[in-house]
Amino acid sequence: MDLSKPGGSTSQVWKSDGTLQTGPGLDHWHASGTCTGITAGYNFLQIGDWRLARINDRHFTFSHRGGQTPMMYKSDGTHKKGPRTSFGSWGWEAGKTPSFGEVRFGDHFIQFGEFRLGAVDDNHLSVSHSGGLTAMIFGQGTLHPGPRHDYGLWEKPLGEPMGVTFGDRFVQIGNFRLGDVDSKHFSVSHVIGKTNVVFKSDGTVNDWPGTSFTTFGRPLEECFVAPP
């Protein structure tokens, strides 16, 4: 899959081994489809005005361009809500970050360094750490916080991003969508019409089940997996 700039210059390519290649000189990877509102770096995925990022080996966050971080998931299986102005990733350039790690893919998951975000099955999406703890499970409009040792994704190998697709400011993993609703709201929702959680640009969180603030209804776009 590639992310291409206007004019045909390709800046990021996800290869079939699950790794991300960035930088100039990738024009031979250019595909006809582009991913609207999606940008990537070695430790983050930018979706509209929001970034999902591995800050370090202990923290994974959702942060807004305006400076607020409404959600932090931790390696000990816990999570902390905002508002807070720390633990964001908006000082990082696309393709360049101050710490180690890469955005990688596999069967129904995205890996951010030591964290994986992915669909365990049709009805459960999780955030889990390589150390064995799961910080959050998203159900069909429900939330099941950690710390817990089940519903992790680390037994799966890296590879082609099967079950991971993109559209206008959203990523779909299995039956779940994570997306920028209207710049001020970012949601996790399930295909049955339930919204699990809404992160807000003021750093607060709405974490009760609902049916609004979803990105389902937007069409998928063709973002191709590039050959190795």
Side-chain angles (χ1 to χ4, degrees):
M1 183 192 78
D2 79 4
L3 298 182
S4 306
K5 297 179 180 178
S9 176
T10 301
S11 56
Q12 290 107 14
V13 171
W14 280 282
K15 300 167 65 179
S16 60
D17 63 358
T19 60
L20 169 67
Q21 183 175 353
T22 65
L26 299 177
D27 293 332
H28 61 290
W29 293 113
H30 181 67
S32 59
T34 60
C35 300
T36 304
I38 308 292
T39 308
Y42 284 115
N43 285 315
F44 70 84
L45 187 66
Q46 181 175 327
I47 303 176
D49 288 328
W50 295 82
R51 283 189 177 180
L52 289 61
R54 174 257 194 203
I55 303 301
N56 53 44
D57 61 4
R58 300 182 304 278
H59 300 93
F60 176 75
T61 66
F62 287 68
S63 62
H64 186 262
R65 181 188 296 275
Q68 290 286 345
T69 301
M71 182 56 67
M72 175 195 302
Y73 298 106
K74 301 176 65 178
S75 60
D76 63 2
T78 62
H79 71 283
K80 290 188 178 296
K81 299 178 183 178
R84 70 177 67 241
T85 55
S86 56
F87 290 91
S89 59
W90 285 90
W92 302 350
E93 294 181 40
K96 297 179 180 179
T97 65
S99 53
F100 296 101
E102 293 183 352
V103 177
R104 300 183 177 218
F105 289 81
D107 182 6
H108 288 80
F109 72 83
I110 306 174
Q111 179 174 318
F112 301 81
E114 295 80 10
F115 290 87
R116 284 188 176 181
L117 169 68
V120 180
D121 53 40
D122 288 345
N123 300 318
H124 299 92
L125 182 88
S126 73
V127 177
S128 60
H129 188 266
S130 61
L133 288 169
T134 299
M136 183 62 69
I137 299 169
F138 305 88
Q140 293 180 315
T142 59
L143 296 173
H144 309 275
R148 53 194 301 160
H149 293 276
D150 53 356
Y151 289 90
L153 296 158
W154 287 89
E155 76 285 355
K156 295 184 177 184
L158 293 168
E160 294 188 6
M162 294 183 293
V164 181
T165 50
F166 291 85
D168 179 9
R169 292 162 295 143
F170 72 82
V171 56
Q172 181 166 334
I173 308 176
N175 287 334
F176 291 85
R177 281 195 182 181
L178 301 93
D180 183 340
V181 179
D182 57 8
S183 179
K184 294 183 179 181
H185 301 88
F186 186 97
S187 71
V188 180
S189 55
H190 190 269
V191 69
I192 65 169
K194 296 290 187 180
T195 299
N196 301 75
V197 64
V198 178
F199 303 127
K200 301 173 67 176
S201 61
D202 64 1
T204 59
V205 180
N206 289 347
D207 55 2
W208 58 86
T211 57
S212 58
F213 293 102
T214 180
T215 53
F216 278 103
R218 299 180 190 175
L220 294 169
E221 297 180 355
E222 292 186 346
C223 295
F224 299 99
V225 177

